[in-house]
Amino acid sequence: RMRLSSLFLPALCVYPVWLAIGVREDVLVPSVSKYYPMMIAMVLGSMIAGSTPLGGGVVAFPVSVLVLGFRPDQGRDFSLMIQSVGMTAASFLIFSKKRLLLKGCEDMLVKFSVLSVIGVIIGLECFF
């Protein structure tokens, strides 16, 4: 059986770093007070993302652009970041709790993982 702490491993790795940077740069409290509508929207967005094939980015983009006044390109980038974080967390959960779903797909996962890394590197180098 898996220990409860290992289920929260991604959060246990990310949150301390996030808090340390927020406190060190003195941006934690001002950011929370300025962007609290986004926090509320993302709680609702996570419910939508978890119960439908849509991702959290579907909620993040309109809220960031229409409510918070982000530029469309900032909203797009934020939306993709939110969707990437959510999909990474879901992948971690599948790898750690639902290994039976992956049976017989190991070779495909390795190939696509390597190709994905190459694609990200090429995309970031060529388009940014």
Side-chain angles (χ1 to χ4, degrees):
R1 288 188 54 90
M2 182 178 250
R3 289 191 332 223
L4 186 60
S5 62
S6 63
L7 277 179
F8 295 103
L9 187 62
L12 292 173
C13 292
V14 171
Y15 285 147
V17 173
W18 177 74
L19 284 171
I21 292 171
V23 169
R24 185 188 71 202
E25 300 295 324
D26 197 30
V27 295
L28 192 60
V29 174
S31 295
V32 169
S33 63
K34 183 176 181 181
Y35 297 114
Y36 74 89
M38 182 59 83
M39 288 183 257
I40 295 167
M42 292 318 302
V43 168
L44 298 173
S46 68
M47 291 179 202
I48 292 170
S51 63
T52 67
L54 302 173
V58 171
V59 174
F61 180 77
V63 170
S64 62
V65 172
L66 299 175
V67 175
L68 295 175
F70 288 9
R71 293 188 323 260
D73 61 326
Q74 291 173 325
R76 176 204 62 212
D77 295 347
F78 180 75
S79 174
L80 288 173
M81 183 204 58
I82 288 295
Q83 195 135 352
S84 298
V85 169
M87 293 179 84
T88 302
S91 298
F92 178 81
L93 186 65
I94 290 170
F95 280 128
S96 62
K97 293 294 282 183
K98 305 285 185 175
R99 292 193 81 69
L100 183 64
L101 294 174
L102 303 173
K103 196 169 202 123
C105 299
E106 294 86 3
D107 59 333
M108 181 181 64
L109 289 171
V110 171
K111 289 176 191 172
F112 284 131
S113 295
V114 171
L115 292 172
S116 296
V117 169
I118 293 169
V120 167
I121 292 169
I122 291 171
L124 290 174
E125 288 296 320
C126 294
F127 298 109
F128 288 104

